[in-house]
Amino acid sequence: MSKFILKYGRDERVKFISHLDFVRCFHRAIRRSKLNFEFSQGFNPHPVMTIAQPLPVGVTSECDYMKVGLVTGLDNDQVRDEINRCLPPGFRIYAAYRLKAKEIDLTKINRAEYIVEIECEAPGDINALMERSELTVPKKTKKGISDSDIRPHIFEAEDMGFKDGIQTIGLEVSCGSSYNLKPETVVAAMEKYCEGFVPSFTAVHRKRMLIDGNEVM
């Protein structure tokens, strides 16, 4: 039995699949494969599997991670290829890494990078936005919706251009159990603070997840 870290992603074809449906899909893929799950102990055994920062519905990714227990003698590349063989189109395992100890702790993920495409008539001024010392917008928490200053949780924001009514921005923001900032909340701040900016549609892609500025693997 071994613990693996899997780096995976999903594209436009499956971005509206919920987190629970993805978990069920992954379970079925393992059952179809040459691999076997490691199961927990006790009266209700279940596959040993932990997903770091589940994707919201509608978001694509190339950098999500899970820790999973597998019973296999296959090497890292073989595990990756075997799972990909059994996953449906739209999901992909980019890398598999057999843990030698607790050298990768997914609970320490604290930042994420996103590419955000925003449909709008006129682009928002990202530079002016980042010059502000405070960006207070409604944010959903476990206790409900309350005003929150999200400025300390935006580490980088880059205007990547405006073409054919689409403004593209790059973001590096807080991500994790301590504070999780969704790109859509940043867009809400742009709508509030950027004069003439009225978004009508937003597409979000998660590009990297980081632990203290370093990519997980």
Side-chain angles (χ1 to χ4, degrees):
M1 295 184 290
S2 299
K3 296 290 194 308
F4 285 83
I5 296 289
L6 303 181
K7 180 180 181 180
Y8 68 98
R10 72 181 185 192
D11 63 25
E12 292 283 339
R13 292 171 289 182
V14 292
K15 70 178 183 180
F16 294 111
I17 298 293
S18 72
H19 172 64
L20 289 179
D21 284 338
F22 166 70
V23 171
R24 297 186 189 101
C25 173
F26 186 80
H27 285 184
R28 294 188 185 105
I30 295 298
R31 288 198 293 269
R32 287 195 296 267
S33 75
K34 299 175 182 177
L35 310 172
N36 291 297
F37 274 119
E38 175 187 347
F39 283 84
S40 62
Q41 304 299 311
F43 293 104
N44 184 29
H46 57 274
V48 175
M49 177 180 171
T50 304
I51 292 179
Q53 300 305 315
L55 274 175
V57 171
V59 177
T60 58
S61 172
E62 59 185 271
C63 67
D64 275 57
Y65 297 92
M66 74 170 75
K67 182 183 291 185
V68 59
L70 297 173
V71 182
T72 179
L74 299 180
D75 64 25
N76 291 339
D77 290 347
Q78 290 172 326
V79 167
R80 175 200 63 201
D81 294 344
E82 180 61 16
I83 300 174
N84 279 332
R85 183 181 68 84
C86 299
L87 281 173
F91 293 110
R92 181 182 176 188
I93 306 295
Y94 293 99
Y97 177 73
R98 189 191 301 266
L99 289 171
K100 301 177 178 64
K102 294 182 179 180
E103 66 228 85
I104 299 177
D105 185 354
L106 297 181
T107 65
K108 292 184 177 180
I109 290 173
N110 55 9
R111 295 189 183 192
E113 292 180 0
Y114 296 91
I115 302 296
V116 186
E117 295 181 336
I118 311 162
E119 186 176 3
C120 52
E121 291 188 5
D125 189 338
I126 295 297
N127 293 330
L129 187 79
M130 293 297 289
E131 289 173 357
R132 301 185 70 94
S133 60
E134 183 177 296
L135 296 170
T136 302
V137 292
K139 186 178 184 297
K140 186 176 181 181
T141 67
K142 293 180 180 179
K143 297 181 180 180
I145 298 176
S146 60
D147 285 343
S148 177
D149 178 15
I150 65 171
R151 181 61 187 87
H153 302 281
I154 306 174
F155 305 108
E156 291 185 16
E158 177 189 1
D159 188 344
M160 302 175 69
F162 180 71
K163 183 178 180 181
D164 298 329
I166 301 293
Q167 182 179 13
T168 303
I169 63 173
L171 294 175
E172 182 179 322
V173 296
S174 291
C175 175
S177 56
S178 296
Y179 195 98
N180 190 64
L181 180 57
K182 294 182 178 180
E184 292 89 346
T185 306
V186 179
V187 175
M190 293 172 62
E191 185 173 12
K192 179 178 180 179
Y193 291 101
C194 296
E195 184 177 356
F197 175 75
V198 182
S200 58
F201 179 79
T202 301
V204 178
H205 178 74
R206 188 148 70 188
K207 192 167 183 63
R208 291 204 305 166
M209 286 204 286
L210 311 168
I211 298 175
D212 296 329
N214 298 310
E215 195 164 6
V216 176
M217 57 177 279

